[in-house]
Amino acid sequence: MADGNLANLAQAREDAYATPLAKLNPAQPALFQADTMWPIFERLRAEDPVHYTEEHEFGPYWSITKYNDIMSIDTNHQVFSSEGGITIAEQTEGAGPLPMFIAMDPPKHDVQRKVVSPAVSPMNLQVMEPLIRERAASILDALPIGEEFDWVDKVSKELTGMTLATLFGMPQEDRRKLIYWSDVVTAAPGQGLVDTIEQKMEIFVEYHAYFTQLWNQRVNAPPTGDLVSMLAHGEATRTMEPREYFGNIVLLTVGGNDTTRNTISGSILALNQNPDQYAKLRANPDLIPSMVSETIRWQTPLAHMRRRALRDFEFQGKTIRKGDKVIMWYVSGNRDEEVIDNPNAYIIDRERPRTHISFGFGIHRCVGNRLAELQLKVIWEEILKRFPLIQVVGEPKRVYSSFVKGYETLPVIIPART
């Protein structure tokens, strides 16, 4: 069962099955915020897994909702291009979409990705793990006992911000700027964080100026191991245009923030909604790696990715036309009954917990996926050392977005220390 309010979910299911199939439109941020999009995906997987929505504020689009179909699209970059953007939303402000390697096709994608990959290599993660653990311990030791607080603010944002600042070679005191800028990138104007496109652009100017200064510092200094230095000195990236550099910074910020932060929050929520699984984890901390993978599947922190058809293409009995927008719904693929047994259940000791599509597939698979898993593993190892229980004491406030599937707030209480 999904974790939305049961009455709202029942109404959402009724609405989803009463709507004419051709009119189904899963890309509704309000449904994701209410956590009531599940019945639409359930119906599409069963009745129309390659589905065309004709009317949408960002234009018509195809929905790919089954696991294996998503893999087919995600790996076919000869037909389905990443150029021009990765979300259903069109970036109409400024000078159009920012260039970034996730929104590029080979060979340019490959050479740019290769520049930053060493920052999250297995060897570098071994070096980072003690630092991540030290910071996780410090964050957890500072939490109040017996008092309600917001887990998103006190824990998820803090650990994610500290790690991102380290990767960028930024001062730790600036870590919250990274979190704020990342949220602004994906925020819809008028939904709380920014009021207008103009305000969003003003914040982008500040964000751009900060990282331009970092580039200027790194390019005039010997190479170091941080991401900005790697881009400034990399053979394939050191001559990139300023907008392309900034586009890659935006990609690395959002990718590094949303996946880890929202899965840390999602793990607390999932374990509270499934107390039998929480008890299982406390009884056997060796299940942490499996629990981490199951949470990443269950949460699916980025709900979709977009491609654009480069030519007419027959796919599963449908004709996708050149120029059509194609949305791969990872959030639906991760609930595909034909691939994942009992997919709506949260089971931390699944036989194959890494069978999920949250990180994408193929050449665009999330470059920092192992870092995300490491942070989640470490924070839970440290949690279990300290707290017998963390209780969710109210409904989470979810993000208004059909792209970022995350949490703005999550109220919790820690009754006691171990």
Side-chain angles (χ1 to χ4, degrees):
M1 178 65 69
D3 56 88
N5 176 276
L6 290 178
N8 290 342
L9 199 57
Q11 183 62 53
R13 176 165 280 104
E14 186 177 322
D15 293 344
Y17 283 87
T19 301
L21 189 62
K23 296 290 185 183
L24 283 181
N25 170 28
Q28 299 181 60
L31 294 181
F32 280 82
Q33 188 174 46
D35 199 41
T36 54
M37 69 291 183
W38 303 105
I40 291 181
F41 290 120
E42 174 186 275
R43 186 179 176 199
L44 288 179
R45 286 194 305 272
E47 298 179 30
D48 196 21
V50 180
H51 174 77
Y52 191 66
T53 299
E54 191 168 354
E55 296 180 6
H56 189 267
E57 63 176 311
F58 297 117
Y61 68 96
W62 291 93
S63 285
I64 313 298
T65 54
K66 300 198 75 164
Y67 189 103
N68 289 323
D69 289 346
I70 291 167
M71 286 206 301
S72 294
I73 299 291
D74 220 354
T75 53
N76 188 353
H77 46 265
Q78 293 86 4
V79 175
F80 297 103
S81 173
S82 302
E83 295 279 353
I86 58 170
T87 72
I88 193 170
E90 301 288 353
Q91 188 179 327
T92 55
E93 65 272 18
L98 285 167
M100 55 184 72
F101 67 78
I102 199 173
M104 295 174 183
D105 297 324
K108 192 172 183 180
H109 161 273
D110 302 347
V111 295
Q112 289 204 4
R113 178 183 170 112
K114 189 176 180 181
V115 171
V116 298
S117 295
V120 287
S121 68
M123 186 178 298
N124 209 38
L125 294 186
Q126 278 190 330
V127 174
M128 288 184 70
E129 182 171 351
L131 183 59
I132 292 171
R133 189 173 301 280
E134 179 185 322
R135 287 170 175 168
S138 175
I139 290 165
L140 296 174
D141 287 341
L143 296 177
I145 302 299
E147 298 175 21
E148 183 178 323
F149 67 92
D150 176 16
W151 182 268
V152 175
D153 180 62
K154 295 285 189 187
V155 181
S156 302
K157 286 184 178 180
E158 273 295 278
L159 183 61
T160 305
M162 287 178 177
T163 303
L164 265 178
T166 298
L167 285 171
F168 282 126
M170 290 170 54
Q172 282 296 320
E173 56 265 30
D174 289 345
R175 64 186 180 273
R176 284 295 178 126
K177 290 181 179 179
L178 276 174
I179 301 298
Y180 175 67
W181 288 329
S182 178
D183 289 347
V184 167
V185 169
T186 58
Q191 293 300 320
L193 191 62
V194 292
D195 296 324
T196 63
I197 286 290
E198 291 73 23
Q199 183 189 5
K200 190 169 179 173
M201 288 301 95
E202 288 173 9
I203 297 166
F204 265 57
V205 169
E206 172 194 341
Y207 183 11
H208 184 274
Y210 185 98
F211 274 93
T212 299
Q213 184 178 17
L214 277 189
W215 171 282
N216 291 336
Q217 290 172 0
R218 301 296 193 274
V219 79
N220 293 310
T224 56
D226 68 84
L227 289 169
V228 177
S229 181
M230 287 177 173
L231 290 170
H233 291 279
E235 187 175 343
T237 53
R238 63 190 179 200
T239 58
M240 65 171 59
E241 294 294 320
R243 287 189 80 253
E244 191 169 323
Y245 160 65
F246 183 54
N248 281 316
I249 291 297
V250 169
L251 164 64
L252 294 165
T253 308
V254 173
N257 172 42
D258 285 316
T259 301
T260 309
R261 165 179 148 193
N262 289 315
T263 310
I264 290 173
S265 300
S267 65
I268 294 290
L269 184 62
L271 288 165
N272 270 264
Q273 291 176 340
N274 299 274
D276 60 323
Q277 301 300 304
Y278 203 171
K280 194 186 294 182
L281 183 68
R282 291 195 301 270
N284 183 8
D286 289 343
L287 288 173
I288 288 174
S290 175
M291 180 274 292
V292 164
S293 292
E294 173 69 346
T295 305
I296 291 168
R297 180 195 71 85
W298 183 89
Q299 180 61 36
T300 317
L302 294 178
H304 76 258
M305 284 283 170
R306 160 184 138 190
R307 299 290 183 262
R308 185 83 67 175
L310 296 175
R311 58 177 173 85
D312 290 2
F313 190 72
E314 293 291 323
F315 187 72
Q316 303 292 38
K318 303 291 182 75
T319 301
I320 298 173
R321 299 292 181 189
K322 180 180 179 180
D324 281 359
K325 188 185 297 187
V326 179
I327 306 301
M328 303 177 294
W329 288 105
Y330 296 155
V331 69
S332 176
N334 277 336
R335 302 296 176 105
D336 187 345
E337 303 85 345
E338 292 184 8
V339 174
I340 299 166
D341 184 48
N342 197 6
N344 291 320
Y346 179 75
I347 304 168
I348 68 168
D349 54 354
R350 281 187 181 274
E351 189 174 332
R352 294 182 298 136
R354 293 180 69 87
T355 301
H356 65 75
I357 205 160
S358 297
F359 291 129
F361 198 80
I363 64 167
H364 289 292
R365 183 173 171 82
C366 174
V367 70
N369 64 308
R370 297 294 187 184
L371 176 58
E373 290 172 339
L374 175 62
Q375 289 181 86
L376 284 151
K377 178 182 83 77
V378 167
I379 193 79
W380 270 101
E381 286 171 352
E382 297 303 315
I383 286 170
L384 293 182
K385 289 177 188 175
R386 288 165 173 77
F387 309 129
L389 193 65
I390 301 169
Q391 295 177 331
V392 173
V393 292
E395 281 295 308
K397 182 179 180 184
R398 292 180 172 83
V399 175
Y400 180 86
S401 174
S402 61
F403 179 61
V404 175
K405 186 170 169 286
Y407 307 91
E408 291 187 20
T409 60
L410 181 66
V412 304
I413 286 178
I414 300 175
R417 292 189 189 277
T418 299

